[in-house]
PDB file of all heavy atoms in Angstrom:
ATOM      1  N   LEU H 526       0.828  -1.207   0.000  1.00 87.00           N
ATOM      2  CA  LEU H 526       0.000   0.000   0.000  1.00 87.00           C
ATOM      3  C   LEU H 526       0.862   1.256   0.000  1.00 87.00           C
ATOM      4  O   LEU H 526       0.631   2.184  -0.782  1.00 87.00           O
ATOM      5  CB  LEU H 526      -0.931  -0.008   1.213  1.00 87.00           C
ATOM      6  CG  LEU H 526      -1.933   1.151   1.280  1.00 87.00           C
ATOM      7  CD1 LEU H 526      -2.839   1.141   0.061  1.00 87.00           C
ATOM      8  CD2 LEU H 526      -2.760   1.076   2.552  1.00 87.00           C
ATOM      9  N   PHE H 527       1.862   1.297   0.853  1.00 89.00           N
ATOM     10  CA  PHE H 527       2.756   2.458   0.899  1.00 89.00           C
ATOM     11  C   PHE H 527       3.423   2.696  -0.448  1.00 89.00           C
ATOM     12  O   PHE H 527       3.440   3.805  -0.986  1.00 89.00           O
ATOM     13  CB  PHE H 527       3.824   2.274   1.977  1.00 89.00           C
ATOM     14  CG  PHE H 527       3.439   2.819   3.317  1.00 89.00           C
ATOM     15  CD1 PHE H 527       3.296   1.980   4.420  1.00 89.00           C
ATOM     16  CD2 PHE H 527       3.229   4.177   3.486  1.00 89.00           C
ATOM     17  CE1 PHE H 527       2.942   2.490   5.656  1.00 89.00           C
ATOM     18  CE2 PHE H 527       2.882   4.688   4.726  1.00 89.00           C
ATOM     19  CZ  PHE H 527       2.740   3.849   5.814  1.00 89.00           C
ATOM     20  N   TYR H 528       4.000   1.634  -1.002  1.00 93.00           N
ATOM     21  CA  TYR H 528       4.722   1.762  -2.261  1.00 93.00           C
ATOM     22  C   TYR H 528       3.776   2.085  -3.418  1.00 93.00           C
ATOM     23  O   TYR H 528       4.092   2.913  -4.283  1.00 93.00           O
ATOM     24  CB  TYR H 528       5.496   0.485  -2.565  1.00 93.00           C
ATOM     25  CG  TYR H 528       6.779   0.329  -1.783  1.00 93.00           C
ATOM     26  CD1 TYR H 528       7.021  -0.800  -1.012  1.00 93.00           C
ATOM     27  CD2 TYR H 528       7.771   1.306  -1.829  1.00 93.00           C
ATOM     28  CE1 TYR H 528       8.207  -0.956  -0.304  1.00 93.00           C
ATOM     29  CE2 TYR H 528       8.957   1.164  -1.118  1.00 93.00           C
ATOM     30  CZ  TYR H 528       9.164   0.027  -0.364  1.00 93.00           C
ATOM     31  OH  TYR H 528      10.343  -0.106   0.339  1.00 93.00           O
ATOM     32  N   ALA H 529       2.623   1.417  -3.459  1.00 91.00           N
ATOM     33  CA  ALA H 529       1.692   1.644  -4.568  1.00 91.00           C
ATOM     34  C   ALA H 529       1.175   3.077  -4.574  1.00 91.00           C
ATOM     35  O   ALA H 529       1.094   3.716  -5.636  1.00 91.00           O
ATOM     36  CB  ALA H 529       0.525   0.655  -4.479  1.00 91.00           C
ATOM     37  N   VAL H 530       0.816   3.599  -3.403  1.00 88.00           N
ATOM     38  CA  VAL H 530       0.355   4.985  -3.326  1.00 88.00           C
ATOM     39  C   VAL H 530       1.464   5.941  -3.762  1.00 88.00           C
ATOM     40  O   VAL H 530       1.218   6.920  -4.480  1.00 88.00           O
ATOM     41  CB  VAL H 530      -0.132   5.322  -1.901  1.00 88.00           C
ATOM     42  CG1 VAL H 530      -0.397   6.810  -1.750  1.00 88.00           C
ATOM     43  CG2 VAL H 530      -1.391   4.527  -1.577  1.00 88.00           C
ATOM     44  N   GLY H 531       2.693   5.647  -3.350  1.00 91.00           N
ATOM     45  CA  GLY H 531       3.810   6.489  -3.752  1.00 91.00           C
ATOM     46  C   GLY H 531       4.012   6.502  -5.258  1.00 91.00           C
ATOM     47  O   GLY H 531       4.217   7.560  -5.860  1.00 91.00           O
ATOM     48  N   HIS H 532       3.951   5.324  -5.875  1.00 93.00           N
ATOM     49  CA  HIS H 532       4.111   5.253  -7.331  1.00 93.00           C
ATOM     50  C   HIS H 532       2.947   5.929  -8.052  1.00 93.00           C
ATOM     51  O   HIS H 532       3.148   6.624  -9.052  1.00 93.00           O
ATOM     52  CB  HIS H 532       4.210   3.789  -7.774  1.00 93.00           C
ATOM     53  CG  HIS H 532       5.547   3.173  -7.534  1.00 93.00           C
ATOM     54  ND1 HIS H 532       6.683   3.558  -8.216  1.00 93.00           N
ATOM     55  CD2 HIS H 532       5.951   2.195  -6.688  1.00 93.00           C
ATOM     56  CE1 HIS H 532       7.714   2.844  -7.813  1.00 93.00           C
ATOM     57  NE2 HIS H 532       7.299   2.013  -6.866  1.00 93.00           N
ATOM     58  N   TRP H 533       1.744   5.706  -7.555  1.00 92.00           N
ATOM     59  CA  TRP H 533       0.568   6.267  -8.240  1.00 92.00           C
ATOM     60  C   TRP H 533       0.584   7.795  -8.195  1.00 92.00           C
ATOM     61  O   TRP H 533       0.183   8.448  -9.158  1.00 92.00           O
ATOM     62  CB  TRP H 533      -0.714   5.737  -7.598  1.00 92.00           C
ATOM     63  CG  TRP H 533      -1.934   6.097  -8.399  1.00 92.00           C
ATOM     64  CD1 TRP H 533      -2.711   7.202  -8.273  1.00 92.00           C
ATOM     65  CD2 TRP H 533      -2.496   5.338  -9.470  1.00 92.00           C
ATOM     66  NE1 TRP H 533      -3.730   7.193  -9.187  1.00 92.00           N
ATOM     67  CE2 TRP H 533      -3.619   6.057  -9.944  1.00 92.00           C
ATOM     68  CE3 TRP H 533      -2.167   4.118 -10.077  1.00 92.00           C
ATOM     69  CZ2 TRP H 533      -4.403   5.594 -10.992  1.00 92.00           C
ATOM     70  CZ3 TRP H 533      -2.956   3.665 -11.120  1.00 92.00           C
ATOM     71  CH2 TRP H 533      -4.059   4.392 -11.566  1.00 92.00           C
ATOM     72  N   ASN H 534       1.053   8.356  -7.104  1.00 90.00           N
ATOM     73  CA  ASN H 534       1.048   9.815  -6.952  1.00 90.00           C
ATOM     74  C   ASN H 534       2.330  10.487  -7.430  1.00 90.00           C
ATOM     75  O   ASN H 534       2.431  11.715  -7.394  1.00 90.00           O
ATOM     76  CB  ASN H 534       0.812  10.186  -5.483  1.00 90.00           C
ATOM     77  CG  ASN H 534      -0.580   9.832  -5.015  1.00 90.00           C
ATOM     78  OD1 ASN H 534      -1.522   9.839  -5.800  1.00 90.00           O
ATOM     79  ND2 ASN H 534      -0.721   9.509  -3.740  1.00 90.00           N
ATOM     80  N   SER H 535       3.304   9.709  -7.875  1.00 90.00           N
ATOM     81  CA  SER H 535       4.597  10.274  -8.241  1.00 90.00           C
ATOM     82  C   SER H 535       4.519  11.081  -9.535  1.00 90.00           C
ATOM     83  O   SER H 535       3.976  10.617 -10.534  1.00 90.00           O
ATOM     84  CB  SER H 535       5.625   9.153  -8.392  1.00 90.00           C
ATOM     85  OG  SER H 535       6.863   9.657  -8.838  1.00 90.00           O
ATOM     86  N   PHE H 536       5.056  12.287  -9.498  1.00 88.00           N
ATOM     87  CA  PHE H 536       5.159  13.095 -10.717  1.00 88.00           C
ATOM     88  C   PHE H 536       6.503  13.820 -10.804  1.00 88.00           C
ATOM     89  O   PHE H 536       6.968  14.140 -11.895  1.00 88.00           O
ATOM     90  CB  PHE H 536       4.029  14.128 -10.785  1.00 88.00           C
ATOM     91  CG  PHE H 536       4.167  15.265  -9.812  1.00 88.00           C
ATOM     92  CD1 PHE H 536       4.819  16.437 -10.180  1.00 88.00           C
ATOM     93  CD2 PHE H 536       3.665  15.173  -8.521  1.00 88.00           C
ATOM     94  CE1 PHE H 536       4.967  17.480  -9.287  1.00 88.00           C
ATOM     95  CE2 PHE H 536       3.798  16.211  -7.633  1.00 88.00           C
ATOM     96  CZ  PHE H 536       4.458  17.374  -8.014  1.00 88.00           C
ATOM     97  N   LEU H 537       7.156  14.075  -9.645  1.00 90.00           N
ATOM     98  CA  LEU H 537       8.399  14.837  -9.656  1.00 90.00           C
ATOM     99  C   LEU H 537       9.509  14.086 -10.390  1.00 90.00           C
ATOM    100  O   LEU H 537      10.247  14.678 -11.195  1.00 90.00           O
ATOM    101  CB  LEU H 537       8.833  15.161  -8.228  1.00 90.00           C
ATOM    102  CG  LEU H 537      10.098  16.029  -8.093  1.00 90.00           C
ATOM    103  CD1 LEU H 537       9.884  17.388  -8.765  1.00 90.00           C
ATOM    104  CD2 LEU H 537      10.459  16.216  -6.631  1.00 90.00           C
ATOM    105  N   THR H 538       9.630  12.794 -10.129  1.00 92.00           N
ATOM    106  CA  THR H 538      10.654  11.998 -10.816  1.00 92.00           C
ATOM    107  C   THR H 538      10.446  12.030 -12.316  1.00 92.00           C
ATOM    108  O   THR H 538      11.398  12.209 -13.093  1.00 92.00           O
ATOM    109  CB  THR H 538      10.624  10.543 -10.310  1.00 92.00           C
ATOM    110  OG1 THR H 538      10.852  10.520  -8.907  1.00 92.00           O
ATOM    111  CG2 THR H 538      11.685   9.702 -11.012  1.00 92.00           C
ATOM    112  N   ALA H 539       9.200  11.865 -12.754  1.00 93.00           N
ATOM    113  CA  ALA H 539       8.901  11.895 -14.187  1.00 93.00           C
ATOM    114  C   ALA H 539       9.157  13.279 -14.774  1.00 93.00           C
ATOM    115  O   ALA H 539       9.642  13.405 -15.901  1.00 93.00           O
ATOM    116  CB  ALA H 539       7.452  11.475 -14.425  1.00 93.00           C
ATOM    117  N   MET H 540       8.836  14.319 -14.022  1.00 92.00           N
ATOM    118  CA  MET H 540       9.031  15.678 -14.513  1.00 92.00           C
ATOM    119  C   MET H 540      10.517  15.977 -14.734  1.00 92.00           C
ATOM    120  O   MET H 540      10.880  16.707 -15.659  1.00 92.00           O
ATOM    121  CB  MET H 540       8.435  16.675 -13.518  1.00 92.00           C
ATOM    122  CG  MET H 540       8.471  18.118 -13.984  1.00 92.00           C
ATOM    123  SD  MET H 540       7.541  19.214 -12.879  1.00 92.00           S
ATOM    124  CE  MET H 540       8.495  19.059 -11.369  1.00 92.00           C
ATOM    125  N   ILE H 541      11.380  15.400 -13.904  1.00 93.00           N
ATOM    126  CA  ILE H 541      12.815  15.666 -14.005  1.00 93.00           C
ATOM    127  C   ILE H 541      13.491  14.758 -15.028  1.00 93.00           C
ATOM    128  O   ILE H 541      14.328  15.207 -15.819  1.00 93.00           O
ATOM    129  CB  ILE H 541      13.479  15.489 -12.630  1.00 93.00           C
ATOM    130  CG1 ILE H 541      12.915  16.503 -11.634  1.00 93.00           C
ATOM    131  CG2 ILE H 541      14.999  15.638 -12.733  1.00 93.00           C
ATOM    132  CD1 ILE H 541      13.390  16.283 -10.216  1.00 93.00           C
ATOM    133  N   TYR H 542      13.115  13.475 -15.035  1.00 95.00           N
ATOM    134  CA  TYR H 542      13.884  12.489 -15.793  1.00 95.00           C
ATOM    135  C   TYR H 542      13.182  11.941 -17.032  1.00 95.00           C
ATOM    136  O   TYR H 542      13.795  11.157 -17.766  1.00 95.00           O
ATOM    137  CB  TYR H 542      14.242  11.310 -14.883  1.00 95.00           C
ATOM    138  CG  TYR H 542      15.033  11.688 -13.660  1.00 95.00           C
ATOM    139  CD1 TYR H 542      14.537  11.456 -12.384  1.00 95.00           C
ATOM    140  CD2 TYR H 542      16.293  12.274 -13.774  1.00 95.00           C
ATOM    141  CE1 TYR H 542      15.259  11.795 -11.251  1.00 95.00           C
ATOM    142  CE2 TYR H 542      17.025  12.622 -12.652  1.00 95.00           C
ATOM    143  CZ  TYR H 542      16.506  12.381 -11.393  1.00 95.00           C
ATOM    144  OH  TYR H 542      17.230  12.720 -10.282  1.00 95.00           O
ATOM    145  N   LEU H 543      11.914  12.282 -17.266  1.00 94.00           N
ATOM    146  CA  LEU H 543      11.191  11.731 -18.418  1.00 94.00           C
ATOM    147  C   LEU H 543      10.668  12.859 -19.312  1.00 94.00           C
ATOM    148  O   LEU H 543       9.504  13.257 -19.209  1.00 94.00           O
ATOM    149  CB  LEU H 543      10.018  10.856 -17.949  1.00 94.00           C
ATOM    150  CG  LEU H 543      10.345   9.516 -17.302  1.00 94.00           C
ATOM    151  CD1 LEU H 543       9.075   8.783 -16.911  1.00 94.00           C
ATOM    152  CD2 LEU H 543      11.193   8.646 -18.230  1.00 94.00           C
ATOM    153  N   PRO H 544      11.492  13.380 -20.216  1.00 92.00           N
ATOM    154  CA  PRO H 544      11.008  14.432 -21.114  1.00 92.00           C
ATOM    155  C   PRO H 544      10.057  13.925 -22.195  1.00 92.00           C
ATOM    156  O   PRO H 544       9.268  14.703 -22.736  1.00 92.00           O
ATOM    157  CB  PRO H 544      12.309  14.974 -21.736  1.00 92.00           C
ATOM    158  CG  PRO H 544      13.277  13.848 -21.639  1.00 92.00           C
ATOM    159  CD  PRO H 544      12.936  13.116 -20.380  1.00 92.00           C
ATOM    160  N   SER H 545      10.110  12.638 -22.516  1.00 92.00           N
ATOM    161  CA  SER H 545       9.251  12.078 -23.564  1.00 92.00           C
ATOM    162  C   SER H 545       7.827  11.915 -23.048  1.00 92.00           C
ATOM    163  O   SER H 545       7.598  11.228 -22.042  1.00 92.00           O
ATOM    164  CB  SER H 545       9.792  10.729 -24.043  1.00 92.00           C
ATOM    165  OG  SER H 545      11.096  10.872 -24.583  1.00 92.00           O
ATOM    166  N   ALA H 546       6.860  12.530 -23.755  1.00 88.00           N
ATOM    167  CA  ALA H 546       5.463  12.503 -23.309  1.00 88.00           C
ATOM    168  C   ALA H 546       4.901  11.092 -23.278  1.00 88.00           C
ATOM    169  O   ALA H 546       4.053  10.773 -22.430  1.00 88.00           O
ATOM    170  CB  ALA H 546       4.609  13.387 -24.218  1.00 88.00           C
ATOM    171  N   GLU H 547       5.375  10.217 -24.168  1.00 92.00           N
ATOM    172  CA  GLU H 547       4.814   8.861 -24.233  1.00 92.00           C
ATOM    173  C   GLU H 547       5.259   8.001 -23.054  1.00 92.00           C
ATOM    174  O   GLU H 547       4.742   6.901 -22.861  1.00 92.00           O
ATOM    175  CB  GLU H 547       5.197   8.182 -25.542  1.00 92.00           C
ATOM    176  CG  GLU H 547       6.683   7.930 -25.734  1.00 92.00           C
ATOM    177  CD  GLU H 547       7.401   9.107 -26.383  1.00 92.00           C
ATOM    178  OE1 GLU H 547       6.803  10.199 -26.468  1.00 92.00           O
ATOM    179  OE2 GLU H 547       8.567   8.924 -26.816  1.00 92.00           O
ATOM    180  N   LEU H 548       6.197   8.481 -22.247  1.00 94.00           N
ATOM    181  CA  LEU H 548       6.660   7.737 -21.074  1.00 94.00           C
ATOM    182  C   LEU H 548       6.134   8.315 -19.765  1.00 94.00           C
ATOM    183  O   LEU H 548       6.320   7.711 -18.706  1.00 94.00           O
ATOM    184  CB  LEU H 548       8.194   7.713 -21.020  1.00 94.00           C
ATOM    185  CG  LEU H 548       8.935   7.109 -22.213  1.00 94.00           C
ATOM    186  CD1 LEU H 548      10.439   7.198 -21.986  1.00 94.00           C
ATOM    187  CD2 LEU H 548       8.519   5.662 -22.444  1.00 94.00           C
ATOM    188  N   GLN H 549       5.481   9.445 -19.822  1.00 92.00           N
ATOM    189  CA  GLN H 549       5.090  10.160 -18.602  1.00 92.00           C
ATOM    190  C   GLN H 549       3.825   9.570 -17.978  1.00 92.00           C
ATOM    191  O   GLN H 549       2.937   9.124 -18.680  1.00 92.00           O
ATOM    192  CB  GLN H 549       4.886  11.636 -18.924  1.00 92.00           C
ATOM    193  CG  GLN H 549       6.164  12.350 -19.322  1.00 92.00           C
ATOM    194  CD  GLN H 549       5.940  13.778 -19.778  1.00 92.00           C
ATOM    195  OE1 GLN H 549       4.807  14.230 -19.920  1.00 92.00           O
ATOM    196  NE2 GLN H 549       7.037  14.496 -20.021  1.00 92.00           N
ATOM    197  N   PRO H 550       3.748   9.572 -16.644  1.00 94.00           N
ATOM    198  CA  PRO H 550       2.591   8.990 -15.945  1.00 94.00           C
ATOM    199  C   PRO H 550       1.408   9.946 -15.885  1.00 94.00           C
ATOM    200  O   PRO H 550       1.496  11.116 -16.266  1.00 94.00           O
ATOM    201  CB  PRO H 550       3.145   8.722 -14.540  1.00 94.00           C
ATOM    202  CG  PRO H 550       4.169   9.795 -14.354  1.00 94.00           C
ATOM    203  CD  PRO H 550       4.790  10.017 -15.705  1.00 94.00           C
ATOM    204  N   LEU H 551       0.319   9.431 -15.365  1.00 91.00           N
ATOM    205  CA  LEU H 551      -0.930  10.182 -15.316  1.00 91.00           C
ATOM    206  C   LEU H 551      -0.826  11.415 -14.432  1.00 91.00           C
ATOM    207  O   LEU H 551      -1.407  12.463 -14.738  1.00 91.00           O
ATOM    208  CB  LEU H 551      -2.049   9.260 -14.805  1.00 91.00           C
ATOM    209  CG  LEU H 551      -3.456   9.849 -14.750  1.00 91.00           C
ATOM    210  CD1 LEU H 551      -3.963  10.166 -16.160  1.00 91.00           C
ATOM    211  CD2 LEU H 551      -4.408   8.883 -14.053  1.00 91.00           C
ATOM    212  N   GLN H 552      -0.110  11.331 -13.316  1.00 90.00           N
ATOM    213  CA  GLN H 552      -0.042  12.465 -12.393  1.00 90.00           C
ATOM    214  C   GLN H 552       0.669  13.657 -13.025  1.00 90.00           C
ATOM    215  O   GLN H 552       0.317  14.811 -12.741  1.00 90.00           O
ATOM    216  CB  GLN H 552       0.666  12.047 -11.102  1.00 90.00           C
ATOM    217  CG  GLN H 552      -0.040  10.953 -10.327  1.00 90.00           C
ATOM    218  CD  GLN H 552      -1.439  11.335  -9.896  1.00 90.00           C
ATOM    219  OE1 GLN H 552      -1.745  12.504  -9.728  1.00 90.00           O
ATOM    220  NE2 GLN H 552      -2.304  10.349  -9.722  1.00 90.00           N
ATOM    221  N   LEU H 553       1.655  13.414 -13.872  1.00 89.00           N
ATOM    222  CA  LEU H 553       2.315  14.513 -14.571  1.00 89.00           C
ATOM    223  C   LEU H 553       1.383  15.115 -15.607  1.00 89.00           C
ATOM    224  O   LEU H 553       1.359  16.338 -15.805  1.00 89.00           O
ATOM    225  CB  LEU H 553       3.607  14.018 -15.233  1.00 89.00           C
ATOM    226  CG  LEU H 553       4.483  15.083 -15.881  1.00 89.00           C
ATOM    227  CD1 LEU H 553       4.864  16.171 -14.876  1.00 89.00           C
ATOM    228  CD2 LEU H 553       5.747  14.459 -16.476  1.00 89.00           C
ATOM    229  N   PHE H 554       0.615  14.267 -16.272  1.00 87.00           N
ATOM    230  CA  PHE H 554      -0.407  14.738 -17.215  1.00 87.00           C
ATOM    231  C   PHE H 554      -1.423  15.617 -16.481  1.00 87.00           C
ATOM    232  O   PHE H 554      -1.820  16.684 -16.965  1.00 87.00           O
ATOM    233  CB  PHE H 554      -1.097  13.535 -17.854  1.00 87.00           C
ATOM    234  CG  PHE H 554      -2.029  13.869 -18.983  1.00 87.00           C
ATOM    235  CD1 PHE H 554      -1.584  13.885 -20.291  1.00 87.00           C
ATOM    236  CD2 PHE H 554      -3.362  14.163 -18.740  1.00 87.00           C
ATOM    237  CE1 PHE H 554      -2.437  14.190 -21.346  1.00 87.00           C
ATOM    238  CE2 PHE H 554      -4.228  14.472 -19.781  1.00 87.00           C
ATOM    239  CZ  PHE H 554      -3.764  14.484 -21.078  1.00 87.00           C
ATOM    240  N   LEU H 555      -1.847  15.176 -15.291  1.00 86.00           N
ATOM    241  CA  LEU H 555      -2.796  15.937 -14.487  1.00 86.00           C
ATOM    242  C   LEU H 555      -2.195  17.263 -14.044  1.00 86.00           C
ATOM    243  O   LEU H 555      -2.866  18.304 -14.088  1.00 86.00           O
ATOM    244  CB  LEU H 555      -3.215  15.114 -13.266  1.00 86.00           C
ATOM    245  CG  LEU H 555      -4.064  15.810 -12.201  1.00 86.00           C
ATOM    246  CD1 LEU H 555      -5.393  16.269 -12.787  1.00 86.00           C
ATOM    247  CD2 LEU H 555      -4.298  14.893 -11.013  1.00 86.00           C
ATOM    248  N   MET H 556      -0.937  17.248 -13.610  1.00 85.00           N
ATOM    249  CA  MET H 556      -0.304  18.480 -13.162  1.00 85.00           C
ATOM    250  C   MET H 556      -0.254  19.517 -14.275  1.00 85.00           C
ATOM    251  O   MET H 556      -0.509  20.703 -14.060  1.00 85.00           O
ATOM    252  CB  MET H 556       1.119  18.176 -12.671  1.00 85.00           C
ATOM    253  CG  MET H 556       1.824  19.360 -12.038  1.00 85.00           C
ATOM    254  SD  MET H 556       3.620  19.234 -12.067  1.00 85.00           S
ATOM    255  CE  MET H 556       3.944  19.497 -13.807  1.00 85.00           C
ATOM    256  N   LYS H 557       0.080  19.089 -15.483  1.00 82.00           N
ATOM    257  CA  LYS H 557       0.125  20.002 -16.616  1.00 82.00           C
ATOM    258  C   LYS H 557      -1.252  20.600 -16.898  1.00 82.00           C
ATOM    259  O   LYS H 557      -1.382  21.782 -17.232  1.00 82.00           O
ATOM    260  CB  LYS H 557       0.649  19.281 -17.858  1.00 82.00           C
ATOM    261  CG  LYS H 557       2.113  18.888 -17.774  1.00 82.00           C
ATOM    262  CD  LYS H 557       2.540  18.167 -19.033  1.00 82.00           C
ATOM    263  CE  LYS H 557       4.010  17.791 -18.990  1.00 82.00           C
ATOM    264  NZ  LYS H 557       4.438  17.050 -20.210  1.00 82.00           N
ATOM    265  N   MET H 558      -2.288  19.778 -16.732  1.00 80.00           N
ATOM    266  CA  MET H 558      -3.645  20.263 -16.986  1.00 80.00           C
ATOM    267  C   MET H 558      -4.075  21.280 -15.937  1.00 80.00           C
ATOM    268  O   MET H 558      -4.760  22.255 -16.241  1.00 80.00           O
ATOM    269  CB  MET H 558      -4.636  19.095 -17.015  1.00 80.00           C
ATOM    270  CG  MET H 558      -4.532  18.218 -18.245  1.00 80.00           C
ATOM    271  SD  MET H 558      -5.892  17.040 -18.299  1.00 80.00           S
ATOM    272  CE  MET H 558      -7.280  18.147 -18.419  1.00 80.00           C
ATOM    273  N   LEU H 559      -3.693  21.056 -14.678  1.00 77.00           N
ATOM    274  CA  LEU H 559      -4.123  21.956 -13.607  1.00 77.00           C
ATOM    275  C   LEU H 559      -3.368  23.281 -13.639  1.00 77.00           C
ATOM    276  O   LEU H 559      -3.944  24.333 -13.340  1.00 77.00           O
ATOM    277  CB  LEU H 559      -3.922  21.279 -12.250  1.00 77.00           C
ATOM    278  CG  LEU H 559      -4.775  20.036 -11.990  1.00 77.00           C
ATOM    279  CD1 LEU H 559      -4.455  19.456 -10.621  1.00 77.00           C
ATOM    280  CD2 LEU H 559      -6.261  20.349 -12.098  1.00 77.00           C
ATOM    281  N   ILE H 560      -2.090  23.227 -13.982  1.00 76.00           N
ATOM    282  CA  ILE H 560      -1.290  24.450 -14.006  1.00 76.00           C
ATOM    283  C   ILE H 560      -1.488  25.211 -15.304  1.00 76.00           C
ATOM    284  O   ILE H 560      -1.608  26.436 -15.324  1.00 76.00           O
ATOM    285  CB  ILE H 560       0.199  24.113 -13.801  1.00 76.00           C
ATOM    286  CG1 ILE H 560       0.412  23.533 -12.400  1.00 76.00           C
ATOM    287  CG2 ILE H 560       1.074  25.356 -13.982  1.00 76.00           C
ATOM    288  CD1 ILE H 560       1.828  23.119 -12.116  1.00 76.00           C
ATOM    289  N   GLN H 561      -1.578  24.459 -16.416  1.00 66.00           N
ATOM    290  CA  GLN H 561      -1.790  25.076 -17.711  1.00 66.00           C
ATOM    291  C   GLN H 561      -3.256  24.943 -18.090  1.00 66.00           C
ATOM    292  O   GLN H 561      -4.096  24.583 -17.268  1.00 66.00           O
ATOM    293  CB  GLN H 561      -0.879  24.407 -18.752  1.00 66.00           C
ATOM    294  CG  GLN H 561       0.592  24.403 -18.341  1.00 66.00           C
ATOM    295  CD  GLN H 561       1.423  23.452 -19.183  1.00 66.00           C
ATOM    296  OE1 GLN H 561       0.931  22.855 -20.143  1.00 66.00           O
ATOM    297  NE2 GLN H 561       2.683  23.318 -18.825  1.00 66.00           N
ATOM    298  N   ASP H 562      -3.576  25.228 -19.331  1.00 60.00           N
ATOM    299  CA  ASP H 562      -4.932  25.011 -19.815  1.00 60.00           C
ATOM    300  C   ASP H 562      -5.144  23.535 -20.093  1.00 60.00           C
ATOM    301  O   ASP H 562      -4.193  22.761 -20.200  1.00 60.00           O
ATOM    302  CB  ASP H 562      -5.185  25.822 -21.095  1.00 60.00           C
ATOM    303  CG  ASP H 562      -5.224  27.317 -20.804  1.00 60.00           C
ATOM    304  OD1 ASP H 562      -5.607  27.674 -19.672  1.00 60.00           O
ATOM    305  OD2 ASP H 562      -4.849  28.103 -21.685  1.00 60.00           O
ATOM    306  N   ALA H 563      -6.394  23.143 -20.247  1.00 51.00           N
ATOM    307  CA  ALA H 563      -6.695  21.756 -20.569  1.00 51.00           C
ATOM    308  C   ALA H 563      -6.047  21.384 -21.892  1.00 51.00           C
ATOM    309  O   ALA H 563      -5.802  22.233 -22.752  1.00 51.00           O
ATOM    310  CB  ALA H 563      -8.207  21.549 -20.644  1.00 51.00           C
ATOM    311  N   ASP H 564      -5.774  20.107 -22.054  1.00 55.00           N
ATOM    312  CA  ASP H 564      -5.114  19.634 -23.263  1.00 55.00           C
ATOM    313  C   ASP H 564      -5.896  20.100 -24.488  1.00 55.00           C
ATOM    314  O   ASP H 564      -7.096  19.839 -24.622  1.00 55.00           O
ATOM    315  CB  ASP H 564      -5.051  18.102 -23.231  1.00 55.00           C
ATOM    316  CG  ASP H 564      -4.174  17.543 -24.336  1.00 55.00           C
ATOM    317  OD1 ASP H 564      -3.679  18.337 -25.149  1.00 55.00           O
ATOM    318  OD2 ASP H 564      -4.009  16.315 -24.376  1.00 55.00           O
ATOM    319  N   ALA H 565      -5.201  20.775 -25.394  1.00 57.00           N
ATOM    320  CA  ALA H 565      -5.869  21.349 -26.565  1.00 57.00           C
ATOM    321  C   ALA H 565      -6.519  20.279 -27.426  1.00 57.00           C
ATOM    322  O   ALA H 565      -7.529  20.536 -28.088  1.00 57.00           O
ATOM    323  CB  ALA H 565      -4.866  22.152 -27.392  1.00 57.00           C
ATOM    324  N   SER H 566      -5.966  19.055 -27.413  1.00 58.00           N
ATOM    325  CA  SER H 566      -6.542  17.994 -28.240  1.00 58.00           C
ATOM    326  C   SER H 566      -7.929  17.593 -27.773  1.00 58.00           C
ATOM    327  O   SER H 566      -8.697  17.008 -28.544  1.00 58.00           O
ATOM    328  CB  SER H 566      -5.623  16.774 -28.240  1.00 58.00           C
ATOM    329  OG  SER H 566      -5.466  16.259 -26.926  1.00 58.00           O
ATOM    330  N   MET H 567      -8.279  17.886 -26.507  1.00 64.00           N
ATOM    331  CA  MET H 567      -9.620  17.574 -26.019  1.00 64.00           C
ATOM    332  C   MET H 567     -10.652  18.584 -26.504  1.00 64.00           C
ATOM    333  O   MET H 567     -11.850  18.321 -26.458  1.00 64.00           O
ATOM    334  CB  MET H 567      -9.623  17.536 -24.485  1.00 64.00           C
ATOM    335  CG  MET H 567      -8.748  16.483 -23.858  1.00 64.00           C
ATOM    336  SD  MET H 567      -8.914  16.490 -22.050  1.00 64.00           S
ATOM    337  CE  MET H 567      -7.657  15.294 -21.603  1.00 64.00           C
ATOM    338  N   LEU H 568     -10.189  19.757 -26.917  1.00 63.00           N
ATOM    339  CA  LEU H 568     -11.105  20.848 -27.254  1.00 63.00           C
ATOM    340  C   LEU H 568     -10.985  21.294 -28.705  1.00 63.00           C
ATOM    341  O   LEU H 568     -11.562  22.308 -29.090  1.00 63.00           O
ATOM    342  CB  LEU H 568     -10.833  22.057 -26.338  1.00 63.00           C
ATOM    343  CG  LEU H 568     -10.813  21.779 -24.843  1.00 63.00           C
ATOM    344  CD1 LEU H 568     -10.353  23.010 -24.094  1.00 63.00           C
ATOM    345  CD2 LEU H 568     -12.175  21.331 -24.362  1.00 63.00           C
TER     346      LEU H 568
END
């Protein structure tokens, strides 16, 4: 449970070490949406 929650919520590691969008996790995708505008492809 501890490890799974940590992995599911992790975005900082991906933000620093994963520049490729196809490798990035959901939490980084969510962070970009909350800080920036919603993904333009949805609209």
Side-chain angles (χ1 to χ4, degrees):
L526 184 60
F527 269 116
Y528 282 125
V530 171
H532 282 292
W533 189 269
N534 292 330
S535 176
F536 72 92
L537 183 61
T538 301
M540 185 172 64
I541 297 173
Y542 302 119
L543 289 180
S545 300
E547 64 272 13
L548 302 179
Q549 294 174 353
L551 183 65
Q552 298 300 334
L553 186 56
F554 188 92
L555 172 62
M556 186 203 72
K557 292 179 179 179
M558 288 189 63
L559 295 179
I560 295 178
Q561 306 166 5
D562 291 331
D564 190 357
S566 61
M567 298 183 186
L568 308 172

